[in-house]
C-alpha cells in the first residue's frame, strides 16, 4: 500500500471509514506536531493521524509497524484535540460502541521520521456465537479460515469440559459435510487454547469426537456425510487469533472396512500416504504414540509359506501384520515377517505420524 503524506493534523486525519477491517500507510516525512498535542516523547517531532468509526458494538484491535525510525501508536476517543482521552486498551483491545469514532496517532520516538503501516480489525462484541444455540453455521464448507476474538465470550451453563477445560470461555461453530471427508482443525492463539468436536443437537446430548490442547491445538478425524458436528474453540485470556478447517477425500485404506484389497498374489505392493489418513477409535493402538494415522490393506495367502515385508520407503512409521477378517478377533504377528496359511486372510496396518 502506498505511503500517504500530509495528514499532519487531527482535522486532516486519514479516514479509514467504518469497515470491520482496515489498513493504512503513511509517512512522517515533513509532518510536524500540531499545537495542543499531548502525550509526546522527549524528542518527538512528527505525527500523523487516522480516524475510524465503529460499524456496530465492536471490540477493535489496532497494530502498527514502522520503517526507518522508531515510534508509538496511540488510540484516543473524543471530539477535538483538546477533548481527546486515551482509549483504555485491555489485552490490546478496545470495546467501541456503534458509531464511536476512534482517533489513531503515530508519533516518532527519536525525532526521526518513519514510514508506518496501521492495521485495524474489529469483531462483534459480544461475539454472536458465544452460546451453543448461536453457533456460526459453516454449512458444508470444505475449507474455512477465520480470524476471531474471544473478548466478551463466556462459559455457558451445561457445557462439557473441552479437552479437560471446564472454566474458560468458548466460541461455537456448526458444520455438516455433504460427503465423507477427512478433517483437520487448527486453532492458533497466543496463549492457552483448546478445541473440541462433538455430535449432538443440544448441550445435554453432546458426544465427543476429538479434542486437542494448547501444545498441539489440532485435531484430525473422519467426518460422515450429513452428520452435524459442533466445534468448540476455547481461550483463557480473551485472545485474538485464527482458526481453520481443512478437508479432503479419505484415501484408500483409511479404515478397516475400507482396506485396500491386495488379492492373493505371491507378491504385492503397498502404496499410500498416512499423512492423509485419520485415526479410528477401534484401530489397534500404535506402537509409538505419534504413529497414529492408519491405512489398512487386505491380503489372502495363496499357499502355506512365509510373508516378508520389504520396505522400499516408509518414513515416520511402521507396517504391522495381523491375522483375521474382523477387528475384534485380530491376532498380531510381531515383526516384519510371519508364517502364513493358504486361504487365510491377513491385514497389514501402516501407521505413521502424518
Amino acid at each position: 500500500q502506498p505511503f500517504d503524506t500530509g495528514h499532519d493534523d487531527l482535522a486532516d486525519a486519514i479516514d479509514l471509514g467504518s469497515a470491520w477491517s482496515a489498513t493504512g500507510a503513511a509517512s512522517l516525512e515533513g509532518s510536524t506536531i500540531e499545537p495542543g498535542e499531548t502525550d509526546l516523547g522527549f524528542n518527538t517531532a512528527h505525527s500523523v493521524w487516522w480516524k475510524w468509526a465503529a460499524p456496530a458494538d465492536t471490540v477493535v484491535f489496532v497494530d502498527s509497524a514502522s520503517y526507518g525510525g522508531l515510534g508509538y501508536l496511540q488510540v484516543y476517543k473524543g471530539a477535538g484535540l483538546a477533548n481527546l482521552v486515551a482509549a483504555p486498551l485491555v489485552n490490546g483491545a478496545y470495546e467501541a460502541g456503534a458509531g464511536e469514532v476512534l482517533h489513531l496517532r503515530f508519533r516518532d520516538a527519536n525525532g526521526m521520521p518513519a514510514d508506518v503501516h496501521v492495521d485495524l480489525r474489529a469483531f462483534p462484541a459480544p461475539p454472536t456465537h458465544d452460546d451453543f444455540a448461536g453457533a456460526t453455521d459453516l454449512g458444508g464448507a470444505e475449507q474455512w479460515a477465520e480470524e476471531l476474538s474471544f473478548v466478551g465470550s463466556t462459559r455457558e451453563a451445561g457445557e462439557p469440559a473441552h479437552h479437560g477445560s471446564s472454566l474458560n470461555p468458548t466460541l461455537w461453530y456448526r458444520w455438516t459435510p455433504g460427503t465423507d471427508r477427512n478433517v483437520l482443525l487448527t486453532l492458533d492463539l497466543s496463549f492457552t487454547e483448546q478445541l473440541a468436536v462433538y455430535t449432538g443437537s443440544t448441550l445435554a446430548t453432546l458426544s465427543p469426537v476429538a479434542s486437542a490442547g494448547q501444545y498441539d491445538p489440532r485435531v484430525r478425524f473422519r467426518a460422515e456425510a450429513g452428520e452435524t458436528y459442533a466445534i468448540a474453540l476455547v481461550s483463557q485470556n480473551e485472545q485474538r487469533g485464527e482458526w481453520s478447517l481443512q478437508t479432503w477425500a479419505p484415501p484408500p485404506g483409511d479404515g478397516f472396512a475400507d482396506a485396500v484389497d491386495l488379492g492373493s498374489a505371491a507378491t504385492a505392493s503397498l502404496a499410500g500416504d498416512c499423512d492423509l489418513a485419520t485415526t479410528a477409535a477401534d484401530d489397534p493402538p500404535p506402537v509409538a504414540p505419534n504413529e497414529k494415522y492408519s491405512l489398512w490393506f487386505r491380503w489372502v495367502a495363496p499357499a502355506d509359506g512365509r510373508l516378508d515385508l520389504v520396505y522400499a520407503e516408509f518414513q515416520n512409521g511402521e507396517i504391522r501384520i495381523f491375522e483375521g477378517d474382523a477387528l475384534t478377533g485380530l491376532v498380531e504377528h510381531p515383526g516384519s515377517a510371519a508364517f502364513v496359511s493358504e486361504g487365510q486372510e491377513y491385514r497389514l496396518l501402516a501407521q505413521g505420524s502424518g
Side-chain angles (χ1 to χ4, degrees):
Q1 182 172 348
F3 289 101
D4 205 343
T5 59
H7 298 277
D8 190 16
D9 297 341
L10 175 67
D12 195 29
I14 301 169
D15 192 351
L16 298 177
S18 58
W20 290 92
S21 178
T23 61
S27 173
L28 271 67
E29 186 71 44
S31 66
T32 61
I33 297 300
E34 181 180 2
E37 286 192 49
T38 58
D39 298 331
L40 302 174
F42 177 69
N43 288 324
T44 298
H46 309 275
S47 68
V48 291
W49 292 87
W50 295 264
K51 65 179 178 180
W52 172 82
D57 290 344
T58 66
V59 55
V60 58
F61 296 83
V62 183
D63 301 300
S64 67
S66 60
Y67 311 90
L70 300 177
Y72 297 98
L73 180 69
Q74 296 162 299
V75 182
Y76 298 93
K77 59 181 183 177
L81 194 61
N83 299 314
L84 293 185
V85 295
L89 302 181
V90 179
N91 293 327
Y94 174 72
E95 295 191 51
E100 183 175 358
V101 176
L102 296 182
H103 305 279
L104 285 58
R105 180 183 70 177
F106 189 88
R107 64 170 178 82
D108 71 78
N110 55 7
M112 298 289 293
D115 295 332
V116 59
H117 282 282
V118 169
D119 293 293
L120 181 148
R121 182 69 171 91
F123 302 88
T128 56
H129 51 323
D130 183 27
D131 292 342
F132 178 83
T136 297
D137 193 342
L138 305 182
E142 294 187 352
Q143 308 291 329
W144 186 270
E146 183 181 60
E147 286 188 89
L148 49 79
S149 165
F150 284 87
V151 175
S153 61
T154 61
R155 186 79 178 197
E156 187 177 2
E159 283 194 39
H162 309 299
H163 198 72
S165 172
S166 58
L167 298 175
N168 298 325
T170 53
L171 298 176
W172 287 93
Y173 293 81
R174 185 180 299 111
W175 176 66
T176 308
T179 59
D180 288 355
R181 305 292 289 175
N182 283 0
V183 186
L184 175 64
L185 302 181
T186 303
L187 177 61
D188 184 11
L189 303 177
S190 58
F191 197 56
T192 302
E193 58 216 1
Q194 290 91 25
L195 59 85
V197 183
Y198 304 89
T199 56
S201 57
T202 67
L203 281 176
T205 60
L206 290 182
S207 177
V209 174
S211 68
Q214 70 182 95
Y215 298 111
D216 189 17
R218 300 177 301 163
V219 297
R220 191 191 299 196
F221 65 97
R222 170 76 69 87
E224 297 181 7
E227 180 71 75
T228 296
Y229 295 88
I231 303 168
L233 308 181
V234 187
S235 168
Q236 178 173 320
N237 279 2
E238 293 193 329
Q239 301 165 83
R240 171 191 178 186
E242 299 177 343
W243 85 283
S244 65
L245 175 148
Q246 303 173 56
T247 75
W248 59 93
D254 190 4
F256 185 86
D258 298 317
V260 176
D261 191 352
L262 301 177
S264 58
T267 61
S269 297
L270 283 69
D273 189 351
C274 289
D275 201 25
L276 300 177
T278 56
T279 304
D282 48 4
D283 278 350
V287 176
N290 64 325
E291 296 172 355
K292 55 187 178 181
Y293 302 122
S294 306
L295 292 177
W296 286 95
F297 301 84
R298 176 184 178 272
W299 177 75
V300 177
D304 292 349
R306 173 173 158 144
L307 168 64
D308 289 286
L309 298 177
V310 180
Y311 290 77
E313 180 182 4
F314 188 43
Q315 299 178 350
N316 302 321
E318 59 186 298
I319 301 175
R320 301 162 66 183
I321 304 171
F322 293 87
E323 182 177 337
D325 57 5
L327 268 172
T328 54
L330 288 180
V331 176
E332 183 168 7
H333 293 268
S336 59
F339 290 103
V340 298
S341 302
E342 181 179 358
Q344 177 63 50
E345 181 173 311
Y346 296 87
R347 297 291 176 127
L348 306 178
L349 173 61
Q351 291 180 305
S353 58

